[in-house]
């Protein structure tokens, strides 16, 4: 029987966990962390697939951690290339609640 997608024979995540150690199994489910870095990119780590609007997957070269540009200055969008620092991008990215979804 094949292993569950993303799990090794011992239940560990395939592809390695992030250096931060935040990739975890919780109740048998793989977690993916999305971190909005202050003044910088969106970091995604764990088990995920990044696809374009047509559903075609980006080849990530085995990476389990990537950063996506949110400043608009990267020459390698959607990935961060560090231009945010050169351009002086500033946005605190403090967690907050969204208003209730209309109709809910
Ligand atoms: S957030 Fe890093 S280049 Fe845009």
């Amino acid at each position: 029987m094949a292993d569950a997608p993303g799990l090794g024979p011992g239940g560990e995540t395939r592809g390695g966990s992030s250096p931060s150690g935040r990739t975890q199994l919780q109740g048998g489910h793989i977690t993916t962390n999305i971190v909005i870095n202050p003044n910088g990119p969106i970091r995604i780590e764990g088990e995920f697939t990044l696809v374009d609007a047509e559903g075609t997957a980006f080849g990530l070269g085995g990476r389990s951690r990537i950063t996506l540009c949110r400043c608009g200055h990267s020459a390698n969008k959607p990935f961060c290339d560090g231009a945010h620092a050169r351009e002086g991008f500033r946005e605190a990215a403090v967690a907050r609640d969204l208003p209730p979804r209309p109709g809910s």
Side-chain angles (χ1 to χ4, degrees):
M1 180 174 146
D3 300 319
L7 298 179
E12 73 280 8
T13 55
R14 289 190 179 125
S17 60
S18 70
S20 71
R22 292 184 186 174
T23 301
Q24 303 171 11
L25 292 176
Q26 294 181 348
H29 300 283
I30 295 170
T31 60
T32 300
N33 291 300
I34 301 173
V35 178
I36 314 301
N37 287 314
N39 310 320
I42 299 167
R43 185 178 73 234
I44 304 172
E45 56 190 13
E47 295 286 333
F48 60 88
T49 302
L50 183 67
V51 300
D52 66 15
E54 304 299 320
T56 304
F58 286 80
L60 301 177
R63 290 170 179 81
S64 60
R65 177 179 172 172
I66 62 170
T67 53
L68 299 178
C69 177
R70 69 183 184 106
C71 77
H73 294 288
S74 174
N76 189 31
K77 293 180 193 77
F79 305 100
C80 172
D81 69 357
H84 59 272
R86 181 183 68 242
E87 297 294 333
F89 177 65
R90 293 283 177 254
E91 202 285 314
V94 176
R96 62 187 180 278
D97 294 331
L98 293 175
R101 185 175 162 191
S104 61

